[in-house]
Amino acid sequence: MNRFDKQKLRRQVLQQMDGCRYATDEDIYREIDRAILREGHVCYGTLPEKRNLREQIFHSIRGFDLLEDYLKDDSVTEIMVIGASKIFIEKNGKIEKTSTSFSEEEEVYRLIDLMLAPTNRIVNEASPIVDGRLPDGSRVHIVLPPVSLDGPVITIRKFQKGGMTMEKLIAYEEFPPELAEILACLVRSRYNILISGSTNSGKSSLINALAGYIMADERIITIEDSAELQFYHVDNLVRLETRNANVEGMNEITMNDLIKASLRMRPTRIIVGEVRGAEAVSMLQAVSTGHSGSFSSIHANSCRDALRRLETMVLMGMDIPLRAVQGLIASSMDILIHLGRLPSGERRLLEISEVLDFDGTEYHLNPLFHYERRKGAEGALKAEKLMVHTDQLVSYGQYDGYIEAMEKFNAGKKDVAEQK
């Protein structure tokens, strides 16, 4: 069986069905079987090969063609398509090239149309970049020529089924289990938390996990470019997503618009999936005017670098002196968490710092935890200091729990050191 045979059979099945959009899965399978029988028993190899061909044709009509198996594989976290000839996947933190490929770019464009149809988003030569969401919640990013020089590019970020939890992150060894109760105290005490890291370092996963500590009776507003946060235990949840401009360049809904709208929805917490530009102004104003306990994420190389990038984003949307911006950031952000990947490709929580103040020249940070790298051995997260601003811990009844959790963390690290 070759690629031509597959496309030939696919066309025959669609012709027989006369493009009927209301056909059931059983109808499609029945027509595929008839098409294979019409072409003869010998052409398509053994019975297992025919079954494989049958599934491929079905997925090319009703599913996502060659990507269907990777989308169903829970160990695959990223799928990358470059033109018709190259498909890469990320599996267990490692990127590998697959043995499969599309026969022609027309198949890739047909797949793109199928992915974007339910999202009401448009991608074409005039607007060649678009973000979307698949039915299972996976995030899809598409770039077309002429921006992409090697044909259409599809990047799919998959997410954990059932949402990411703290238990899953601990099982993946992204940070020690003793840290979980410390983070729980910070969330329950309504500290504003900014999570930084590189692409695919686990920022959204950590936000999802931290949200598990939010009380079920709170009203949460989530704001994202492309919705990927999944909160299951909060009933009073409003999920907002941006909208691209239409073909006339009108009716765009930006992150800034959504943050402003959220302030009229009586939120308990506002969670901004990721700040990338001028919306940082509205986000900071929201969290500094009574909506404490909010989360957000940003691309950065360290906790301190996250503050610098936030400065740049605020200045993109507001013409005010830099020192005023820095003062606003210092008074709005409470806790900085930085994530990254080790040379082995494994994700790790690398740093947690408390924002103390801004003295007019520099931010004063109180490093709480730091990942200590060791030559020739696995590193470990190490506790540095206790928090300085503990009023919220006291106000929300979390202070004793925080101190106890810190003692357990240090005791756990001490036991590990003694065992070594």
Side-chain angles (χ1 to χ4, degrees), residues 89-115:
I89 59 171
E90 182 187 55
K91 196 169 186 176
N92 302 319
K94 302 288 186 181
I95 295 178
E96 57 188 65
K97 186 177 181 180
T98 70
S99 58
T100 57
S101 62
F102 294 94
S103 60
E104 54 188 0
E105 285 193 355
E106 182 185 344
E107 293 182 49
V108 185
Y109 282 108
R110 185 171 61 244
L111 179 60
I112 289 172
D113 290 340
L114 185 64
M115 288 177 169

mmCIF file of all heavy atoms in Angstrom, residues 89-115:
data_model
loop_
_atom_site.group_PDB
_atom_site.id
_atom_site.type_symbol
_atom_site.label_atom_id
_atom_site.label_comp_id
_atom_site.label_asym_id
_atom_site.label_seq_id
_atom_site.Cartn_x
_atom_site.Cartn_y
_atom_site.Cartn_z
ATOM 1 N N ILE A 89 7.760 14.811 17.103
ATOM 2 C CA ILE A 89 6.988 14.760 18.342
ATOM 3 C C ILE A 89 7.932 14.919 19.527
ATOM 4 O O ILE A 89 9.130 14.605 19.424
ATOM 5 C CB ILE A 89 6.203 13.439 18.489
ATOM 6 C CG1 ILE A 89 7.149 12.233 18.476
ATOM 7 C CG2 ILE A 89 5.135 13.317 17.408
ATOM 8 C CD1 ILE A 89 6.486 10.915 18.822
ATOM 9 N N GLU A 90 7.382 15.435 20.609
ATOM 10 C CA GLU A 90 8.124 15.444 21.877
ATOM 11 C C GLU A 90 7.524 14.358 22.751
ATOM 12 O O GLU A 90 6.323 14.354 23.022
ATOM 13 C CB GLU A 90 8.018 16.796 22.587
ATOM 14 C CG GLU A 90 8.838 16.808 23.870
ATOM 15 C CD GLU A 90 8.614 18.073 24.687
ATOM 16 O OE1 GLU A 90 7.450 18.369 24.996
ATOM 17 O OE2 GLU A 90 9.605 18.742 25.023
ATOM 18 N N LYS A 91 8.390 13.440 23.179
ATOM 19 C CA LYS A 91 7.941 12.302 23.983
ATOM 20 C C LYS A 91 8.893 12.140 25.156
ATOM 21 O O LYS A 91 10.104 12.013 24.963
ATOM 22 C CB LYS A 91 7.928 11.032 23.120
ATOM 23 C CG LYS A 91 7.148 9.872 23.693
ATOM 24 C CD LYS A 91 6.994 8.785 22.646
ATOM 25 C CE LYS A 91 6.092 7.677 23.143
ATOM 26 N NZ LYS A 91 5.847 6.651 22.128
ATOM 27 N N ASN A 92 8.342 12.206 26.375
ATOM 28 C CA ASN A 92 9.157 12.092 27.591
ATOM 29 C C ASN A 92 10.295 13.105 27.610
ATOM 30 O O ASN A 92 11.429 12.802 28.009
ATOM 31 C CB ASN A 92 9.724 10.668 27.725
ATOM 32 C CG ASN A 92 8.630 9.612 27.758
ATOM 33 O OD1 ASN A 92 7.599 9.808 28.391
ATOM 34 N ND2 ASN A 92 8.843 8.499 27.081
ATOM 35 N N GLY A 93 9.982 14.324 27.158
ATOM 36 C CA GLY A 93 10.967 15.404 27.200
ATOM 37 C C GLY A 93 11.960 15.417 26.057
ATOM 38 O O GLY A 93 12.804 16.304 25.971
ATOM 39 N N LYS A 94 11.890 14.448 25.149
ATOM 40 C CA LYS A 94 12.823 14.356 24.027
ATOM 41 C C LYS A 94 12.090 14.558 22.704
ATOM 42 O O LYS A 94 11.000 14.025 22.509
ATOM 43 C CB LYS A 94 13.524 12.988 24.007
ATOM 44 C CG LYS A 94 14.301 12.657 25.279
ATOM 45 C CD LYS A 94 15.564 13.481 25.389
ATOM 46 C CE LYS A 94 16.387 13.032 26.592
ATOM 47 N NZ LYS A 94 17.620 13.832 26.738
ATOM 48 N N ILE A 95 12.701 15.330 21.798
ATOM 49 C CA ILE A 95 12.113 15.551 20.469
ATOM 50 C C ILE A 95 12.675 14.535 19.493
ATOM 51 O O ILE A 95 13.887 14.324 19.422
ATOM 52 C CB ILE A 95 12.402 16.981 19.977
ATOM 53 C CG1 ILE A 95 11.714 18.004 20.878
ATOM 54 C CG2 ILE A 95 11.932 17.160 18.536
ATOM 55 C CD1 ILE A 95 11.983 19.439 20.500
ATOM 56 N N GLU A 96 11.782 13.877 18.752
ATOM 57 C CA GLU A 96 12.220 12.881 17.768
ATOM 58 C C GLU A 96 11.427 13.030 16.479
ATOM 59 O O GLU A 96 10.273 13.450 16.488
ATOM 60 C CB GLU A 96 12.051 11.468 18.334
ATOM 61 C CG GLU A 96 10.627 11.143 18.774
ATOM 62 C CD GLU A 96 10.524 9.825 19.493
ATOM 63 O OE1 GLU A 96 11.102 9.703 20.595
ATOM 64 O OE2 GLU A 96 9.857 8.911 18.955
ATOM 65 N N LYS A 97 12.072 12.669 15.360
ATOM 66 C CA LYS A 97 11.405 12.723 14.071
ATOM 67 C C LYS A 97 10.670 11.418 13.838
ATOM 68 O O LYS A 97 11.207 10.334 14.090
ATOM 69 C CB LYS A 97 12.425 12.957 12.957
ATOM 70 C CG LYS A 97 11.791 13.165 11.589
ATOM 71 C CD LYS A 97 12.839 13.465 10.530
ATOM 72 C CE LYS A 97 12.198 13.705 9.171
ATOM 73 N NZ LYS A 97 13.208 13.997 8.123
ATOM 74 N N THR A 98 9.440 11.506 13.364
ATOM 75 C CA THR A 98 8.648 10.305 13.122
ATOM 76 C C THR A 98 8.932 9.752 11.723
ATOM 77 O O THR A 98 9.519 10.426 10.873
ATOM 78 C CB THR A 98 7.142 10.598 13.238
ATOM 79 O OG1 THR A 98 6.736 11.419 12.129
ATOM 80 C CG2 THR A 98 6.830 11.325 14.543
ATOM 81 N N SER A 99 8.493 8.538 11.506
ATOM 82 C CA SER A 99 8.685 7.899 10.194
ATOM 83 C C SER A 99 7.529 8.216 9.246
ATOM 84 O O SER A 99 7.553 7.812 8.080
ATOM 85 C CB SER A 99 8.807 6.373 10.369
ATOM 86 O OG SER A 99 7.639 5.857 11.001
ATOM 87 N N THR A 100 6.517 8.916 9.738
ATOM 88 C CA THR A 100 5.353 9.233 8.913
ATOM 89 C C THR A 100 5.492 10.609 8.276
ATOM 90 O O THR A 100 6.213 11.474 8.783
ATOM 91 C CB THR A 100 4.061 9.207 9.755
ATOM 92 O OG1 THR A 100 4.197 10.130 10.845
ATOM 93 C CG2 THR A 100 3.790 7.825 10.292
ATOM 94 N N SER A 101 4.795 10.809 7.175
ATOM 95 C CA SER A 101 4.784 12.112 6.507
ATOM 96 C C SER A 101 3.568 12.185 5.595
ATOM 97 O O SER A 101 2.988 11.167 5.219
ATOM 98 C CB SER A 101 6.069 12.328 5.697
ATOM 99 O OG SER A 101 6.175 11.364 4.675
ATOM 100 N N PHE A 102 3.165 13.399 5.249
ATOM 101 C CA PHE A 102 2.045 13.599 4.326
ATOM 102 C C PHE A 102 2.558 13.448 2.896
ATOM 103 O O PHE A 102 3.732 13.717 2.605
ATOM 104 C CB PHE A 102 1.445 14.985 4.517
ATOM 105 C CG PHE A 102 0.777 15.179 5.857
ATOM 106 C CD1 PHE A 102 1.470 15.737 6.914
ATOM 107 C CD2 PHE A 102 -0.539 14.793 6.066
ATOM 108 C CE1 PHE A 102 0.874 15.921 8.149
ATOM 109 C CE2 PHE A 102 -1.151 14.965 7.290
ATOM 110 C CZ PHE A 102 -0.444 15.529 8.342
ATOM 111 N N SER A 103 1.685 13.058 2.011
ATOM 112 C CA SER A 103 2.101 12.854 0.617
ATOM 113 C C SER A 103 2.197 14.165 -0.145
ATOM 114 O O SER A 103 2.976 14.290 -1.085
ATOM 115 C CB SER A 103 1.122 11.912 -0.093
ATOM 116 O OG SER A 103 -0.186 12.459 -0.080
ATOM 117 N N GLU A 104 1.422 15.164 0.277
ATOM 118 C CA GLU A 104 1.443 16.454 -0.405
ATOM 119 C C GLU A 104 0.932 17.527 0.545
ATOM 120 O O GLU A 104 0.259 17.247 1.534
ATOM 121 C CB GLU A 104 0.563 16.394 -1.663
ATOM 122 C CG GLU A 104 -0.867 15.933 -1.382
ATOM 123 C CD GLU A 104 -1.655 15.706 -2.654
ATOM 124 O OE1 GLU A 104 -1.074 15.903 -3.732
ATOM 125 O OE2 GLU A 104 -2.842 15.370 -2.565
ATOM 126 N N GLU A 105 1.275 18.783 0.241
ATOM 127 C CA GLU A 105 0.891 19.884 1.123
ATOM 128 C C GLU A 105 -0.621 20.089 1.179
ATOM 129 O O GLU A 105 -1.146 20.604 2.158
ATOM 130 C CB GLU A 105 1.581 21.185 0.687
ATOM 131 C CG GLU A 105 3.047 21.230 1.041
ATOM 132 C CD GLU A 105 3.642 22.628 0.892
ATOM 133 O OE1 GLU A 105 2.914 23.537 0.419
ATOM 134 O OE2 GLU A 105 4.828 22.797 1.232
ATOM 135 N N GLU A 106 -1.320 19.640 0.137
ATOM 136 C CA GLU A 106 -2.779 19.756 0.131
ATOM 137 C C GLU A 106 -3.388 19.051 1.347
ATOM 138 O O GLU A 106 -4.374 19.511 1.923
ATOM 139 C CB GLU A 106 -3.341 19.170 -1.168
ATOM 140 C CG GLU A 106 -4.859 19.287 -1.280
ATOM 141 C CD GLU A 106 -5.403 18.587 -2.516
ATOM 142 O OE1 GLU A 106 -4.599 18.290 -3.429
ATOM 143 O OE2 GLU A 106 -6.620 18.338 -2.549
ATOM 144 N N GLU A 107 -2.780 17.921 1.735
ATOM 145 C CA GLU A 107 -3.267 17.193 2.904
ATOM 146 C C GLU A 107 -3.089 18.015 4.182
ATOM 147 O O GLU A 107 -3.939 18.000 5.073
ATOM 148 C CB GLU A 107 -2.523 15.862 3.043
ATOM 149 C CG GLU A 107 -2.804 14.863 1.949
ATOM 150 C CD GLU A 107 -2.060 13.563 2.203
ATOM 151 O OE1 GLU A 107 -2.140 13.053 3.335
ATOM 152 O OE2 GLU A 107 -1.390 13.070 1.275
ATOM 153 N N VAL A 108 -1.978 18.733 4.276
ATOM 154 C CA VAL A 108 -1.716 19.560 5.463
ATOM 155 C C VAL A 108 -2.714 20.708 5.523
ATOM 156 O O VAL A 108 -3.264 21.018 6.591
ATOM 157 C CB VAL A 108 -0.274 20.105 5.442
ATOM 158 C CG1 VAL A 108 0.021 20.865 6.739
ATOM 159 C CG2 VAL A 108 0.729 18.976 5.252
ATOM 160 N N TYR A 109 -2.993 21.336 4.383
ATOM 161 C CA TYR A 109 -3.960 22.441 4.358
ATOM 162 C C TYR A 109 -5.362 21.943 4.711
ATOM 163 O O TYR A 109 -6.125 22.643 5.389
ATOM 164 C CB TYR A 109 -3.964 23.107 2.984
ATOM 165 C CG TYR A 109 -2.793 24.038 2.759
ATOM 166 C CD1 TYR A 109 -1.760 23.698 1.885
ATOM 167 C CD2 TYR A 109 -2.722 25.253 3.428
ATOM 168 C CE1 TYR A 109 -0.677 24.549 1.690
ATOM 169 C CE2 TYR A 109 -1.642 26.120 3.232
ATOM 170 C CZ TYR A 109 -0.624 25.750 2.356
ATOM 171 O OH TYR A 109 0.438 26.588 2.181
ATOM 172 N N ARG A 110 -5.703 20.745 4.230
ATOM 173 C CA ARG A 110 -7.008 20.186 4.568
ATOM 174 C C ARG A 110 -7.108 19.933 6.081
ATOM 175 O O ARG A 110 -8.142 20.177 6.698
ATOM 176 C CB ARG A 110 -7.230 18.888 3.793
ATOM 177 C CG ARG A 110 -8.627 18.299 4.006
ATOM 178 C CD ARG A 110 -8.907 17.137 3.073
ATOM 179 N NE ARG A 110 -7.982 16.037 3.284
ATOM 180 C CZ ARG A 110 -7.104 15.614 2.368
ATOM 181 N NH1 ARG A 110 -7.032 16.197 1.200
ATOM 182 N NH2 ARG A 110 -6.301 14.605 2.629
ATOM 183 N N LEU A 111 -6.011 19.474 6.668
ATOM 184 C CA LEU A 111 -5.964 19.235 8.107
ATOM 185 C C LEU A 111 -6.109 20.548 8.882
ATOM 186 O O LEU A 111 -6.807 20.622 9.892
ATOM 187 C CB LEU A 111 -4.640 18.547 8.465
ATOM 188 C CG LEU A 111 -4.401 18.224 9.935
ATOM 189 C CD1 LEU A 111 -5.482 17.292 10.472
ATOM 190 C CD2 LEU A 111 -3.018 17.602 10.122
ATOM 191 N N ILE A 112 -5.470 21.606 8.396
ATOM 192 C CA ILE A 112 -5.568 22.924 9.039
ATOM 193 C C ILE A 112 -7.010 23.417 9.021
ATOM 194 O O ILE A 112 -7.533 23.925 10.027
ATOM 195 C CB ILE A 112 -4.620 23.928 8.345
ATOM 196 C CG1 ILE A 112 -3.160 23.581 8.666
ATOM 197 C CG2 ILE A 112 -4.939 25.357 8.774
ATOM 198 C CD1 ILE A 112 -2.147 24.375 7.879
ATOM 199 N N ASP A 113 -7.672 23.265 7.872
ATOM 200 C CA ASP A 113 -9.088 23.669 7.776
ATOM 201 C C ASP A 113 -9.939 22.906 8.785
ATOM 202 O O ASP A 113 -10.838 23.477 9.423
ATOM 203 C CB ASP A 113 -9.613 23.423 6.359
ATOM 204 C CG ASP A 113 -9.011 24.365 5.337
ATOM 205 O OD1 ASP A 113 -8.507 25.432 5.749
ATOM 206 O OD2 ASP A 113 -9.020 24.031 4.137
ATOM 207 N N LEU A 114 -9.657 21.612 8.921
ATOM 208 C CA LEU A 114 -10.417 20.778 9.856
ATOM 209 C C LEU A 114 -10.200 21.227 11.297
ATOM 210 O O LEU A 114 -11.129 21.263 12.103
ATOM 211 C CB LEU A 114 -9.988 19.314 9.680
ATOM 212 C CG LEU A 114 -10.746 18.259 10.486
ATOM 213 C CD1 LEU A 114 -12.205 18.210 10.041
ATOM 214 C CD2 LEU A 114 -10.098 16.897 10.311
ATOM 215 N N MET A 115 -8.970 21.608 11.629
ATOM 216 C CA MET A 115 -8.648 22.038 12.996
ATOM 217 C C MET A 115 -9.291 23.376 13.351
ATOM 218 O O MET A 115 -9.762 23.578 14.473
ATOM 219 C CB MET A 115 -7.122 22.156 13.163
ATOM 220 C CG MET A 115 -6.404 20.830 13.196
ATOM 221 S SD MET A 115 -4.612 21.055 13.293
ATOM 222 C CE MET A 115 -4.084 19.371 13.667
#
